[in-house]
Amino acid sequence: METELLRQRLDHPGEGQDWLASLRLSNPQTGYTNLLRMAEAGVPLDLLGAICDQFRAVAPTLADPDMAWNNLEGFLCSARNPLSTAALFERDPEALPNLLQLLSGSQYLSDLLVHDQESYDLLRMTEGHPVARETLVEELIAEINQLANTDEAMAALRRHKRREILRIAYGDLVRGQAVATVARQLSFLADAIVEAAVAFQRVKLEQKYGTPRAPSGQPAR
């Protein structure tokens, strides 16, 4: 969208709302407020125009365009550097369309992305590819075994769960992985979290009480 046309739509609410309604937004008044906030967050009009063009192209494929547009505003406005984020969308033609699929598919996923912006960079690197169960377990155990106390371990488990849920959702919603693959990845994630929690707590208990032993005297499993 040309900068002057976008400026005109920002300056004239009626025109802006009519344009947003043409993008299948059922609540163009709220959509217009979202547009204003993105402009006020420091996104230059040329980059904001490019975002609008990309949204227009992908809107027909979105499960809920209103949700996607509203959550996009939250994502941009909560970014550490909205200008840098907008520039990424212009530089990488897949970054915004893929993000919009997530933002329109689940409010829970959207909230995770808004509050942990770095997680989207990880998603773009991993592309939502499935991960072996053993890899998930080993990586998580290695991470939390370096932590000093239970509160830190619990926080790490929660953070890991959120990021892995996003990876699995990306594979499902963006890459169209089979239901069986998605279900298996969720099962692997649950296994990894439980095993890591048990391993961490066992180490702490053994430090306090010693190694539990079977009647034979060998270390218990």
Side-chain angles (χ1 to χ4, degrees), residues 149-209:
N149 58 62
T150 301
D151 288 342
E152 290 180 354
M154 291 175 64
L157 288 173
R158 287 192 291 267
R159 181 174 59 254
H160 188 85
K161 175 190 173 184
R162 290 192 294 266
R163 290 190 171 182
E164 289 300 314
I165 286 289
L166 284 170
R167 175 185 61 79
I168 296 168
Y170 191 97
D172 179 18
L173 299 175
V174 177
R175 294 307 176 202
Q177 292 173 359
V179 173
T181 299
V182 174
R184 188 162 52 248
Q185 286 293 294
L186 289 171
S187 179
F188 289 171
L189 174 59
D191 286 351
I193 291 172
V194 171
E195 288 204 29
V198 171
F200 176 85
Q201 199 58 37
R202 179 170 182 137
V203 169
K204 298 305 177 187
L205 290 173
E206 287 183 355
Q207 290 172 351
K208 187 174 183 180
Y209 298 109

Side-chain angles (χ1 to χ4, degrees), residues 132-154:
R133 178 189 183 281
E134 294 75 14
T135 301
L136 286 173
V137 173
E138 291 172 4
E139 289 181 351
L140 187 51
I141 288 178
E143 178 181 349
I144 71 169
N145 276 352
Q146 301 177 22
L147 303 178
N149 58 62
T150 301
D151 288 342
E152 290 180 354
M154 291 175 64

